Amino acid sequence: MARNYDCPVSEATSELSAPERREALKELLTQARGCTRCSELAATRKTVVFGAGNADADLMFVGEAPGASEDEQGLPFVGRAGKLLETLLGEIGLERSEVFITNVLMCRPPGNRDPLPLEIENCQEYLMRKVELIQPIVIGTLGNFSTKLLRGDPTGITRLHGQPEVITLGRRNVRLYPIYHPAAALYTPRMLDTLREDFRRIPELLALGPPGQPDPLESSAAEPAIEPPPPAETDDDPSLDQLGLF
Ligand code: URA
Protein backbone atom coordinates (compact mmCIF):
# COMPACT_ATOMS: atom_id res chain seq x y z
CA MET A 1 0.00 0.00 0.00
CA ALA A 2 1.36 3.41 -0.90
CA ARG A 3 0.67 5.99 1.76
CA ASN A 4 1.90 9.43 0.91
CA TYR A 5 2.00 12.21 3.44
CA ASP A 6 2.77 15.82 3.26
CA CYS A 7 5.97 15.28 5.08
CA PRO A 8 8.38 18.06 5.98
CA VAL A 9 11.30 16.30 4.42
CA SER A 10 13.95 17.93 2.32
CA GLU A 11 15.24 16.36 -0.85
CA ALA A 12 18.52 15.68 0.91
CA THR A 13 17.23 13.81 3.97
CA SER A 14 18.01 10.36 2.62
CA GLU A 15 21.55 11.44 1.87
CA LEU A 16 22.30 12.69 5.37
CA SER A 17 24.74 10.72 7.47
CA ALA A 18 23.51 9.12 10.71
CA PRO A 19 25.12 11.87 12.86
CA GLU A 20 23.51 14.54 10.67
CA ARG A 21 20.13 12.86 10.98
CA ARG A 22 20.57 12.69 14.76
CA GLU A 23 21.35 16.40 14.88
CA ALA A 24 18.24 17.12 12.83
CA LEU A 25 16.23 14.98 15.25
CA LYS A 26 17.53 17.07 18.13
CA GLU A 27 16.43 20.22 16.31
CA LEU A 28 13.00 18.68 15.86
CA LEU A 29 12.90 17.86 19.58
CA THR A 30 13.64 21.47 20.44
CA GLN A 31 10.85 22.56 18.13
CA ALA A 32 8.42 20.01 19.56
CA ARG A 33 9.07 21.18 23.11
CA GLY A 34 7.65 24.56 22.20
CA CYS A 35 4.71 23.24 20.19
CA THR A 36 1.33 24.81 20.96
CA ARG A 37 -0.63 23.49 17.98
CA CYS A 38 -3.15 21.79 20.31
CA SER A 39 -4.07 24.48 22.81
CA GLU A 40 -5.69 22.12 25.34
CA LEU A 41 -2.79 19.67 25.33
CA ALA A 42 -0.20 22.44 25.47
CA ALA A 43 -1.99 23.95 28.48
CA THR A 44 -2.37 20.69 30.41
CA ARG A 45 0.82 18.73 29.65
CA LYS A 46 3.78 18.64 31.98
CA THR A 47 6.22 17.59 29.28
CA VAL A 48 6.34 16.93 25.58
CA VAL A 49 7.05 13.23 25.12
CA PHE A 50 8.95 13.36 21.88
CA GLY A 51 10.22 9.80 21.79
CA ALA A 52 13.41 8.11 22.89
CA GLY A 53 15.93 5.50 21.90
CA ASN A 54 18.38 4.98 19.08
CA ALA A 55 18.22 7.80 16.54
CA ASP A 56 19.45 5.37 13.87
CA ALA A 57 17.24 2.45 14.90
CA ASP A 58 16.22 -0.30 12.49
CA LEU A 59 13.11 -0.84 14.59
CA MET A 60 10.73 1.89 15.64
CA PHE A 61 7.55 1.56 17.69
CA VAL A 62 4.65 3.98 17.50
CA GLY A 63 2.14 3.86 20.36
CA GLU A 64 -0.87 6.04 21.05
CA ALA A 65 -0.17 8.89 23.46
CA PRO A 66 1.67 9.50 26.72
CA GLY A 67 -0.06 8.58 29.96
CA ALA A 68 0.49 10.10 33.38
CA SER A 69 3.90 8.50 34.03
CA GLU A 70 5.16 9.40 30.58
CA ASP A 71 3.95 12.98 31.02
CA GLU A 72 5.80 13.18 34.35
CA GLN A 73 9.06 11.76 33.05
CA GLY A 74 9.04 13.07 29.48
CA LEU A 75 9.73 9.57 28.17
CA PRO A 76 7.46 7.16 26.28
CA PHE A 77 6.30 3.82 27.66
CA VAL A 78 7.69 4.08 31.18
CA GLY A 79 4.59 2.69 32.92
CA ARG A 80 3.32 -0.88 33.08
CA ALA A 81 2.75 -1.15 29.34
CA GLY A 82 6.33 0.02 28.86
CA LYS A 83 7.68 -2.65 31.18
CA LEU A 84 5.84 -5.27 29.16
CA LEU A 85 7.22 -3.80 25.95
CA GLU A 86 10.73 -4.08 27.39
CA THR A 87 10.13 -7.69 28.44
CA LEU A 88 8.88 -8.61 24.98
CA LEU A 89 11.87 -6.90 23.40
CA GLY A 90 14.18 -8.80 25.74
CA GLU A 91 12.60 -12.07 24.63
CA ILE A 92 13.69 -11.37 21.05
CA GLY A 93 17.17 -10.30 22.11
CA LEU A 94 16.68 -6.54 21.88
CA GLU A 95 17.13 -3.79 24.40
CA ARG A 96 15.04 -0.69 24.62
CA SER A 97 18.07 1.47 23.86
CA GLU A 98 18.46 -0.21 20.46
CA VAL A 99 15.02 0.80 19.19
CA PHE A 100 13.22 4.13 18.93
CA ILE A 101 9.90 4.45 20.73
CA THR A 102 7.40 7.21 20.12
CA ASN A 103 3.66 7.86 19.93
CA VAL A 104 1.02 9.28 17.61
CA LEU A 105 0.65 12.17 20.07
CA MET A 106 3.53 13.74 21.98
CA CYS A 107 1.31 15.26 24.68
CA ARG A 108 -0.90 13.51 27.21
CA PRO A 109 -4.62 13.88 26.54
CA PRO A 110 -6.28 15.00 29.79
CA GLY A 111 -7.68 12.07 31.76
CA ASN A 112 -6.08 9.72 29.19
CA ARG A 113 -8.94 10.29 26.78
CA ASP A 114 -8.54 9.16 23.19
CA PRO A 115 -6.57 11.44 20.86
CA LEU A 116 -8.84 13.73 18.85
CA PRO A 117 -8.64 13.77 15.04
CA LEU A 118 -7.30 17.33 15.01
CA GLU A 119 -4.63 16.45 17.59
CA ILE A 120 -3.55 13.49 15.48
CA GLU A 121 -3.37 15.73 12.44
CA ASN A 122 -1.39 18.37 14.32
CA CYS A 123 1.18 15.85 15.53
CA GLN A 124 1.44 13.87 12.32
CA GLU A 125 4.04 16.14 10.77
CA TYR A 126 6.38 15.54 13.70
CA LEU A 127 5.88 11.78 13.50
CA MET A 128 6.56 11.71 9.79
CA ARG A 129 9.70 13.77 10.22
CA LYS A 130 10.92 11.34 12.90
CA VAL A 131 10.39 8.45 10.50
CA GLU A 132 12.24 10.30 7.75
CA LEU A 133 15.19 11.06 10.02
CA ILE A 134 15.49 7.72 11.80
CA GLN A 135 14.94 5.68 8.63
CA PRO A 136 13.77 2.48 10.35
CA ILE A 137 13.45 -0.79 8.46
CA VAL A 138 10.42 -1.87 10.50
CA ILE A 139 7.78 0.24 12.22
CA GLY A 140 5.77 -1.67 14.80
CA THR A 141 2.46 0.10 15.20
CA LEU A 142 1.14 -0.59 18.68
CA GLY A 143 -2.64 -0.69 18.58
CA ASN A 144 -5.33 1.01 16.56
CA PHE A 145 -4.36 4.65 16.52
CA SER A 146 -0.90 4.33 14.99
CA THR A 147 -1.95 1.48 12.69
CA LYS A 148 -4.86 3.45 11.26
CA LEU A 149 -2.84 6.62 10.96
CA LEU A 150 0.16 5.14 9.18
CA ARG A 151 -1.91 2.91 6.90
CA GLY A 152 -4.36 5.70 6.17
CA ASP A 153 -7.18 3.22 6.52
CA PRO A 154 -9.74 2.51 9.25
CA THR A 155 -9.12 -1.27 9.38
CA GLY A 156 -8.55 -2.21 12.99
CA ILE A 157 -5.69 -3.96 14.74
CA THR A 158 -7.67 -7.14 15.40
CA ARG A 159 -7.77 -7.84 11.67
CA LEU A 160 -4.27 -6.63 10.87
CA HIS A 161 -1.99 -7.65 13.73
CA GLY A 162 0.94 -9.84 12.77
CA GLN A 163 0.67 -9.02 9.06
CA PRO A 164 3.61 -6.98 7.80
CA GLU A 165 3.27 -4.85 4.70
CA VAL A 166 5.47 -2.40 2.85
CA ILE A 167 4.08 1.13 2.87
CA THR A 168 5.38 4.42 1.60
CA LEU A 169 5.78 7.20 4.14
CA GLY A 170 6.99 10.47 2.72
CA ARG A 171 9.69 9.40 0.29
CA ARG A 172 10.61 6.14 2.00
CA ASN A 173 9.29 2.64 1.97
CA VAL A 174 9.14 0.89 5.34
CA ARG A 175 7.95 -2.45 6.61
CA LEU A 176 4.89 -1.70 8.70
CA TYR A 177 4.10 -4.30 11.32
CA PRO A 178 0.82 -3.82 13.20
CA ILE A 179 0.74 -5.42 16.65
CA TYR A 180 -1.50 -5.16 19.68
CA HIS A 181 -0.87 -2.37 22.13
CA PRO A 182 0.92 -3.82 25.19
CA ALA A 183 -1.57 -2.09 27.50
CA ALA A 184 -4.34 -4.18 25.93
CA ALA A 185 -2.39 -7.35 26.69
CA LEU A 186 -1.71 -6.49 30.33
CA TYR A 187 -4.95 -7.97 31.57
CA THR A 188 -5.83 -10.42 28.81
CA PRO A 189 -3.63 -13.53 28.78
CA ARG A 190 -4.82 -14.62 25.31
CA MET A 191 -3.90 -11.28 23.85
CA LEU A 192 -0.51 -11.45 25.53
CA ASP A 193 0.13 -14.82 23.87
CA THR A 194 -0.76 -13.30 20.51
CA LEU A 195 1.42 -10.25 21.13
CA ARG A 196 4.31 -12.50 22.10
CA GLU A 197 3.84 -14.57 18.94
CA ASP A 198 3.74 -11.43 16.79
CA PHE A 199 6.87 -10.12 18.50
CA ARG A 200 8.72 -13.32 17.62
CA ARG A 201 8.45 -12.44 13.93
CA ILE A 202 10.22 -9.10 14.34
CA PRO A 203 13.77 -10.47 13.98
CA GLU A 204 12.95 -12.09 10.63
CA LEU A 205 11.40 -8.85 9.38
CA LEU A 206 14.49 -6.92 10.40
CA ALA A 207 16.68 -9.52 8.70
CA LEU A 208 14.90 -8.82 5.40
CA GLY A 209 16.54 -5.40 5.44
CA PRO A 210 15.00 -2.22 4.08
CA PRO A 211 12.41 -2.70 1.34
CA GLY A 212 13.22 -1.38 -2.13
CA GLN A 213 13.04 2.39 -2.15
CA PRO A 214 11.07 4.54 -4.58
CA ASP A 215 12.96 6.05 -7.46
CA PRO A 216 14.04 9.44 -6.02
CA LEU A 217 13.38 11.20 -9.32
CA GLU A 218 9.88 9.80 -9.62
CA SER A 219 8.96 10.43 -6.01
CA SER A 220 10.25 14.00 -6.04
CA ALA A 221 8.20 14.67 -9.15
CA ALA A 222 5.12 13.17 -7.51
CA GLU A 223 5.48 15.01 -4.21
CA PRO A 224 6.73 18.54 -3.98
CA ALA A 225 9.43 18.84 -1.34
CA ILE A 226 8.31 20.61 1.79
CA GLU A 227 10.96 22.48 3.65
CA PRO A 228 12.13 20.90 6.90
CA PRO A 229 11.49 22.89 10.08
CA PRO A 230 13.86 25.83 10.46
CA PRO A 231 16.96 25.13 12.55
CA ALA A 232 16.41 25.54 16.26
CA GLU A 233 17.99 28.54 17.90
CA THR A 234 19.21 26.45 20.84
CA ASP A 235 21.18 24.06 18.70
CA ASP A 236 23.78 23.41 21.37
CA ASP A 237 21.37 22.99 24.26
CA PRO A 238 23.26 20.51 26.48
CA SER A 239 20.00 19.25 28.02
CA LEU A 240 19.30 17.45 24.76
CA ASP A 241 22.18 15.06 25.37
CA GLN A 242 21.92 15.02 29.14
CA LEU A 243 18.39 13.70 28.93
CA GLY A 244 19.71 10.71 27.06
CA LEU A 245 16.69 10.77 24.79
CA PHE A 246 18.63 9.47 21.82
N1 URA B 1 0.73 4.07 26.04
C1 URA B 1 1.12 4.63 24.88
O1 URA B 1 0.49 4.46 23.85
N2 URA B 1 2.20 5.35 24.90
C2 URA B 1 2.94 5.55 25.98
O2 URA B 1 3.95 6.22 25.88
C3 URA B 1 2.52 4.92 27.16
C4 URA B 1 1.40 4.19 27.18
PDB file of all heavy atoms in Angstrom, residues 49 62-67 70 75-79 81-82 101-103 142 181 183, ligand 1:
ATOM      1  N   VAL A  49       6.401  14.545  25.196  1.00  0.00           N
ATOM      2  CA  VAL A  49       7.049  13.227  25.122  1.00  0.00           C
ATOM      3  C   VAL A  49       7.379  12.943  23.656  1.00  0.00           C
ATOM      4  O   VAL A  49       6.591  12.351  22.918  1.00  0.00           O
ATOM      5  CB  VAL A  49       6.130  12.149  25.736  1.00  0.00           C
ATOM      6  CG1 VAL A  49       6.825  10.789  25.740  1.00  0.00           C
ATOM      7  CG2 VAL A  49       5.723  12.531  27.152  1.00  0.00           C
ATOM      8  N   VAL A  62       5.519   2.804  17.370  1.00  0.00           N
ATOM      9  CA  VAL A  62       4.650   3.978  17.504  1.00  0.00           C
ATOM     10  C   VAL A  62       3.416   3.564  18.303  1.00  0.00           C
ATOM     11  O   VAL A  62       2.621   2.726  17.852  1.00  0.00           O
ATOM     12  CB  VAL A  62       4.232   4.547  16.132  1.00  0.00           C
ATOM     13  CG1 VAL A  62       3.424   5.831  16.328  1.00  0.00           C
ATOM     14  CG2 VAL A  62       5.447   4.827  15.248  1.00  0.00           C
ATOM     15  N   GLY A  63       3.301   4.127  19.504  1.00  0.00           N
ATOM     16  CA  GLY A  63       2.142   3.855  20.358  1.00  0.00           C
ATOM     17  C   GLY A  63       1.058   4.903  20.141  1.00  0.00           C
ATOM     18  O   GLY A  63       0.952   5.497  19.062  1.00  0.00           O
ATOM     19  N   GLU A  64       0.298   5.153  21.191  1.00  0.00           N
ATOM     20  CA  GLU A  64      -0.868   6.039  21.051  1.00  0.00           C
ATOM     21  C   GLU A  64      -0.573   7.451  21.566  1.00  0.00           C
ATOM     22  O   GLU A  64      -0.473   8.393  20.785  1.00  0.00           O
ATOM     23  CB  GLU A  64      -2.025   5.404  21.818  1.00  0.00           C
ATOM     24  CG  GLU A  64      -3.322   6.144  21.713  1.00  0.00           C
ATOM     25  CD  GLU A  64      -4.423   5.411  22.482  1.00  0.00           C
ATOM     26  OE1 GLU A  64      -4.536   4.164  22.374  1.00  0.00           O
ATOM     27  OE2 GLU A  64      -5.166   6.085  23.204  1.00  0.00           O
ATOM     28  N   ALA A  65      -0.401   7.569  22.859  1.00  0.00           N
ATOM     29  CA  ALA A  65      -0.173   8.887  23.457  1.00  0.00           C
ATOM     30  C   ALA A  65       0.405   8.678  24.854  1.00  0.00           C
ATOM     31  O   ALA A  65       0.184   7.629  25.467  1.00  0.00           O
ATOM     32  CB  ALA A  65      -1.491   9.654  23.548  1.00  0.00           C
ATOM     33  N   PRO A  66       1.121   9.658  25.357  1.00  0.00           N
ATOM     34  CA  PRO A  66       1.665   9.504  26.716  1.00  0.00           C
ATOM     35  C   PRO A  66       0.557   9.392  27.749  1.00  0.00           C
ATOM     36  O   PRO A  66      -0.513   9.984  27.596  1.00  0.00           O
ATOM     37  CB  PRO A  66       2.443  10.822  26.922  1.00  0.00           C
ATOM     38  CG  PRO A  66       2.568  11.467  25.589  1.00  0.00           C
ATOM     39  CD  PRO A  66       1.450  10.945  24.739  1.00  0.00           C
ATOM     40  N   GLY A  67       0.829   8.622  28.785  1.00  0.00           N
ATOM     41  CA  GLY A  67      -0.058   8.578  29.956  1.00  0.00           C
ATOM     42  C   GLY A  67       0.554   9.434  31.055  1.00  0.00           C
ATOM     43  O   GLY A  67       1.488  10.220  30.810  1.00  0.00           O
ATOM     44  N   GLU A  70       4.374   8.881  31.698  1.00  0.00           N
ATOM     45  CA  GLU A  70       5.161   9.396  30.579  1.00  0.00           C
ATOM     46  C   GLU A  70       5.202  10.924  30.623  1.00  0.00           C
ATOM     47  O   GLU A  70       6.245  11.545  30.376  1.00  0.00           O
ATOM     48  CB  GLU A  70       4.562   8.921  29.247  1.00  0.00           C
ATOM     49  CG  GLU A  70       4.744   7.443  28.969  1.00  0.00           C
ATOM     50  CD  GLU A  70       3.793   6.535  29.743  1.00  0.00           C
ATOM     51  OE1 GLU A  70       2.744   7.023  30.204  1.00  0.00           O
ATOM     52  OE2 GLU A  70       4.114   5.332  29.890  1.00  0.00           O
ATOM     53  N   LEU A  75       9.255  10.720  28.956  1.00  0.00           N
ATOM     54  CA  LEU A  75       9.727   9.572  28.170  1.00  0.00           C
ATOM     55  C   LEU A  75       8.551   8.649  27.837  1.00  0.00           C
ATOM     56  O   LEU A  75       7.638   8.501  28.653  1.00  0.00           O
ATOM     57  CB  LEU A  75      10.770   8.775  28.971  1.00  0.00           C
ATOM     58  CG  LEU A  75      12.091   9.488  29.232  1.00  0.00           C
ATOM     59  CD1 LEU A  75      12.914   8.739  30.266  1.00  0.00           C
ATOM     60  CD2 LEU A  75      12.880   9.635  27.928  1.00  0.00           C
ATOM     61  N   PRO A  76       8.594   8.011  26.665  1.00  0.00           N
ATOM     62  CA  PRO A  76       7.465   7.157  26.283  1.00  0.00           C
ATOM     63  C   PRO A  76       7.532   5.792  26.963  1.00  0.00           C
ATOM     64  O   PRO A  76       8.621   5.296  27.291  1.00  0.00           O
ATOM     65  CB  PRO A  76       7.652   6.990  24.769  1.00  0.00           C
ATOM     66  CG  PRO A  76       9.126   7.097  24.572  1.00  0.00           C
ATOM     67  CD  PRO A  76       9.627   8.070  25.617  1.00  0.00           C
ATOM     68  N   PHE A  77       6.393   5.204  27.189  1.00  0.00           N
ATOM     69  CA  PHE A  77       6.302   3.820  27.658  1.00  0.00           C
ATOM     70  C   PHE A  77       7.185   3.549  28.884  1.00  0.00           C
ATOM     71  O   PHE A  77       8.057   2.689  28.847  1.00  0.00           O
ATOM     72  CB  PHE A  77       6.622   2.841  26.514  1.00  0.00           C
ATOM     73  CG  PHE A  77       5.466   2.664  25.567  1.00  0.00           C
ATOM     74  CD1 PHE A  77       5.373   3.437  24.424  1.00  0.00           C
ATOM     75  CD2 PHE A  77       4.454   1.762  25.831  1.00  0.00           C
ATOM     76  CE1 PHE A  77       4.290   3.302  23.553  1.00  0.00           C
ATOM     77  CE2 PHE A  77       3.367   1.615  24.966  1.00  0.00           C
ATOM     78  CZ  PHE A  77       3.285   2.391  23.820  1.00  0.00           C
ATOM     79  N   VAL A  78       6.952   4.319  29.929  1.00  0.00           N
ATOM     80  CA  VAL A  78       7.687   4.080  31.176  1.00  0.00           C
ATOM     81  C   VAL A  78       6.791   3.459  32.253  1.00  0.00           C
ATOM     82  O   VAL A  78       7.257   3.118  33.324  1.00  0.00           O
ATOM     83  CB  VAL A  78       8.340   5.374  31.721  1.00  0.00           C
ATOM     84  CG1 VAL A  78       9.495   5.798  30.850  1.00  0.00           C
ATOM     85  CG2 VAL A  78       7.316   6.501  31.854  1.00  0.00           C
ATOM     86  N   GLY A  79       5.502   3.315  31.961  1.00  0.00           N
ATOM     87  CA  GLY A  79       4.590   2.694  32.924  1.00  0.00           C
ATOM     88  C   GLY A  79       4.534   1.186  32.727  1.00  0.00           C
ATOM     89  O   GLY A  79       5.470   0.572  32.199  1.00  0.00           O
ATOM     90  N   ALA A  81       2.718  -0.713  30.738  1.00  0.00           N
ATOM     91  CA  ALA A  81       2.754  -1.151  29.339  1.00  0.00           C
ATOM     92  C   ALA A  81       4.197  -1.100  28.815  1.00  0.00           C
ATOM     93  O   ALA A  81       4.628  -1.958  28.035  1.00  0.00           O
ATOM     94  CB  ALA A  81       1.844  -0.282  28.487  1.00  0.00           C
ATOM     95  N   GLY A  82       4.927  -0.117  29.277  1.00  0.00           N
ATOM     96  CA  GLY A  82       6.325   0.021  28.858  1.00  0.00           C
ATOM     97  C   GLY A  82       7.192  -1.113  29.380  1.00  0.00           C
ATOM     98  O   GLY A  82       8.093  -1.611  28.689  1.00  0.00           O
ATOM     99  N   ILE A 101      11.304   4.571  20.320  1.00  0.00           N
ATOM    100  CA  ILE A 101       9.902   4.450  20.730  1.00  0.00           C
ATOM    101  C   ILE A 101       9.254   5.836  20.766  1.00  0.00           C
ATOM    102  O   ILE A 101       9.798   6.770  21.369  1.00  0.00           O
ATOM    103  CB  ILE A 101       9.788   3.794  22.132  1.00  0.00           C
ATOM    104  CG1 ILE A 101      10.516   2.451  22.148  1.00  0.00           C
ATOM    105  CG2 ILE A 101       8.315   3.615  22.514  1.00  0.00           C
ATOM    106  CD1 ILE A 101      10.554   1.779  23.516  1.00  0.00           C
ATOM    107  N   THR A 102       8.120   5.941  20.109  1.00  0.00           N
ATOM    108  CA  THR A 102       7.400   7.214  20.121  1.00  0.00           C
ATOM    109  C   THR A 102       5.900   6.941  20.068  1.00  0.00           C
ATOM    110  O   THR A 102       5.471   5.788  20.185  1.00  0.00           O
ATOM    111  CB  THR A 102       7.896   8.119  18.968  1.00  0.00           C
ATOM    112  OG1 THR A 102       7.323   9.418  19.106  1.00  0.00           O
ATOM    113  CG2 THR A 102       7.530   7.566  17.595  1.00  0.00           C
ATOM    114  N   ASN A 103       5.121   7.973  19.921  1.00  0.00           N
ATOM    115  CA  ASN A 103       3.658   7.856  19.932  1.00  0.00           C
ATOM    116  C   ASN A 103       3.034   8.691  18.826  1.00  0.00           C
ATOM    117  O   ASN A 103       3.676   9.600  18.288  1.00  0.00           O
ATOM    118  CB  ASN A 103       3.117   8.362  21.275  1.00  0.00           C
ATOM    119  CG  ASN A 103       3.325   7.378  22.404  1.00  0.00           C
ATOM    120  OD1 ASN A 103       2.877   6.235  22.331  1.00  0.00           O
ATOM    121  ND2 ASN A 103       4.019   7.813  23.442  1.00  0.00           N
ATOM    122  N   LEU A 142       1.700   0.027  17.486  1.00  0.00           N
ATOM    123  CA  LEU A 142       1.137  -0.588  18.684  1.00  0.00           C
ATOM    124  C   LEU A 142      -0.314  -0.143  18.833  1.00  0.00           C
ATOM    125  O   LEU A 142      -0.591   0.967  19.291  1.00  0.00           O
ATOM    126  CB  LEU A 142       1.948  -0.168  19.913  1.00  0.00           C
ATOM    127  CG  LEU A 142       3.460  -0.481  19.848  1.00  0.00           C
ATOM    128  CD1 LEU A 142       4.190   0.139  21.039  1.00  0.00           C
ATOM    129  CD2 LEU A 142       3.692  -1.985  19.818  1.00  0.00           C
ATOM    130  N   HIS A 181      -1.476  -3.280  21.164  1.00  0.00           N
ATOM    131  CA  HIS A 181      -0.865  -2.375  22.133  1.00  0.00           C
ATOM    132  C   HIS A 181      -0.578  -3.175  23.413  1.00  0.00           C
ATOM    133  O   HIS A 181      -1.459  -3.904  23.888  1.00  0.00           O
ATOM    134  CB  HIS A 181      -1.834  -1.225  22.429  1.00  0.00           C
ATOM    135  CG  HIS A 181      -1.188  -0.088  23.147  1.00  0.00           C
ATOM    136  ND1 HIS A 181      -0.732  -0.190  24.441  1.00  0.00           N
ATOM    137  CD2 HIS A 181      -0.882   1.163  22.744  1.00  0.00           C
ATOM    138  CE1 HIS A 181      -0.200   0.960  24.805  1.00  0.00           C
ATOM    139  NE2 HIS A 181      -0.272   1.798  23.791  1.00  0.00           N
ATOM    140  N   ALA A 183      -0.620  -2.353  26.401  1.00  0.00           N
ATOM    141  CA  ALA A 183      -1.574  -2.086  27.496  1.00  0.00           C
ATOM    142  C   ALA A 183      -2.792  -3.004  27.379  1.00  0.00           C
ATOM    143  O   ALA A 183      -3.354  -3.429  28.384  1.00  0.00           O
ATOM    144  CB  ALA A 183      -2.018  -0.626  27.470  1.00  0.00           C
TER     145      ALA A 183
HETATM  146  N1  URA B   1       0.726   4.072  26.038  1.00  0.00           N
HETATM  147  C1  URA B   1       1.120   4.629  24.877  1.00  0.00           C
HETATM  148  O1  URA B   1       0.491   4.465  23.851  1.00  0.00           O
HETATM  149  N2  URA B   1       2.200   5.346  24.896  1.00  0.00           N
HETATM  150  C2  URA B   1       2.939   5.546  25.978  1.00  0.00           C
HETATM  151  O2  URA B   1       3.952   6.216  25.881  1.00  0.00           O
HETATM  152  C3  URA B   1       2.519   4.921  27.160  1.00  0.00           C
HETATM  153  C4  URA B   1       1.403   4.192  27.179  1.00  0.00           C
END
